[in-house]
Amino acid sequence: MNFQQYTNFTIGWMLLAVMIFILLLFIAAPYGRHTKTTWGLLIDNRLGWIIMEIFVVVVFSFCVYRRNKQSIVNYIIFSFFTFHYLNRSLIFPFRLRTSGKKMPVLIMLMGMTFNLVNGFLIGYYLGNFRVYELSWLTGAPFIIGTLIFITGIVINWQSDTILINLRKPGETGYKIPQGGMFRYVSSPNLLGESIEWCGFAILTWSLPGLAFLVWTMANLIPRAISHHKWYRQHFADYPTERKAVIPFLL
Ligand code: NDP
């Protein structure tokens, strides 16, 4: 694939994300509290998460390593991406208190597709089109982007940890989360993830970085809005000042 074809494909892929965003404003993705049995075959939730997330690391690594011409900066960017996905695929699923819960296989396959295409686009870009010079490390995009990326990871991990600890071992119900960024929004984990990929888009200053951000927001903003509505419907004492995903705004 030459650069023009690659660019056209990536722009098309982003346009698809915009359509999915609109769709998800009306249909909540059926996993977690929104799970439905009408979406066909179900799979164990933990296993679903592992399968959905692990292959992106393989595809991404393959695309990056296929070419010899790399720089230390490419490898640093590679390690940021891999760090995120090793946690998401091999650590996060084992921390979940999700005994007996299931997700539709279709959702797992859709998540896999999203991950594989995005992983391929970033990996192919790093492996074929872009060799970052060492001076990139001291430039504004890398420094600002990395700070935002780390801020996003901290918010995401802290919030996921608060959510996971709401349940005692064996419990599967829902409670009102408190503390951390939950003071401001119902889904700070999803906000943190969006901030993280915003940082990645800035630190790479690249089209596939932007595509990943657009897809992440297309998935997570509607999900956060659905969660927020769900909390309000299920808890009469839900904090009224709390927003869905963007503090004080949305
Ligand atoms: P959720 O907030 O829906 O759930 C996270 C975990 O916490 C689940 O195990 C959930 O249980 C549990 N939980 C949530 N709320 C409560 C509550 N009030 N009381 C008790 N337990 C609760 O997040 P997602 O499952 O959608 O996402 C998980 C992670 O994956 C997040 O960090 C997210 O950012 C990331 N992600 C990234 C995507 C991307 O596009 N980059 C796409 C999707 C997710 P249960 O499953 O039983 O509801």
Side-chain angles (χ1 to χ4, degrees):
M1 193 173 5
N2 65 35
F3 189 66
Q4 192 56 54
Q5 291 165 327
Y6 171 89
T7 303
N8 292 343
F9 179 82
T10 309
I11 290 171
W13 178 240
M14 281 197 279
L15 291 177
L16 181 62
V18 175
M19 289 188 249
I20 296 288
F21 171 75
I22 295 167
L23 195 70
L24 288 176
L25 289 175
F26 298 98
I27 305 169
Y31 68 95
R33 79 197 66 189
H34 309 290
T35 292
K36 288 200 169 68
T37 48
T38 48
W39 278 58
L41 207 62
L42 300 173
I43 184 169
D44 174 76
N45 202 41
R46 198 186 313 279
L47 184 61
W49 270 104
I50 296 170
I51 297 174
M52 185 159 72
E53 306 285 331
I54 189 67
F55 294 105
V56 62
V57 182
V58 180
V59 168
F60 176 68
S61 307
F62 175 75
C63 289
V64 174
Y65 279 112
R66 218 167 51 91
R67 283 291 175 96
N68 294 326
K69 197 166 177 251
Q70 294 288 351
S71 74
I72 182 82
V73 185
N74 281 37
Y75 284 118
I76 290 173
I77 292 170
F78 170 82
S79 66
F80 283 7
F81 188 92
T82 310
F83 175 73
H84 172 90
Y85 270 101
L86 287 179
N87 169 59
R88 184 66 75 227
S89 59
L90 296 178
I91 298 174
F92 173 76
F94 292 99
R95 296 178 62 218
L96 294 175
R97 298 199 169 146
T98 192
S99 60
K101 292 215 168 185
K102 295 192 183 299
M103 71 162 77
V105 170
L106 193 60
I107 285 295
M108 182 193 80
L109 293 176
M110 285 159 85
M112 247 175 100
T113 308
F114 153 78
N115 282 330
L116 290 179
V117 175
N118 283 309
F120 164 77
L121 287 175
I122 296 172
Y124 200 81
Y125 183 78
L126 292 178
N128 293 270
F129 300 131
R130 185 85 183 257
V131 178
Y132 290 90
E133 301 291 333
L134 203 55
S135 57
W136 186 257
L137 293 181
T138 50
F142 185 82
I143 293 172
I144 294 169
T146 301
L147 290 175
I148 295 174
F149 183 74
I150 293 170
T151 305
I153 287 186
V154 171
I155 295 174
N156 177 261
W157 283 19
Q158 183 203 38
S159 314
D160 270 341
T161 301
I162 291 174
L163 288 176
I164 289 166
N165 290 338
L166 285 174
R167 290 179 182 154
K168 297 190 184 74
E171 281 184 353
T172 52
Y174 295 90
K175 300 169 189 173
I176 300 178
Q178 304 287 357
M181 291 290 286
F182 285 100
R183 278 189 282 272
Y184 306 104
V185 292
S186 296
S187 295
N189 55 337
L190 309 187
L191 169 67
E193 179 103 17
S194 304
I195 293 174
E196 192 180 332
W197 293 109
C198 178
F200 190 83
I202 294 172
L203 76 91
T204 58
W205 208 252
S206 65
L207 192 61
L210 178 65
F212 205 133
L213 172 63
V214 170
W215 266 97
T216 297
M217 293 180 75
N219 280 327
L220 297 188
I221 289 181
R223 185 161 177 81
I225 293 171
S226 303
H227 280 9
H228 190 64
K229 282 187 190 150
W230 184 95
Y231 277 124
R232 290 191 157 194
Q233 282 163 4
H234 288 80
F235 295 99
D237 55 341
Y238 197 69
T240 48
E241 71 287 357
R242 206 177 278 188
K243 298 287 183 187
V245 63
I246 303 177
F248 312 112
L249 284 178
L250 176 67

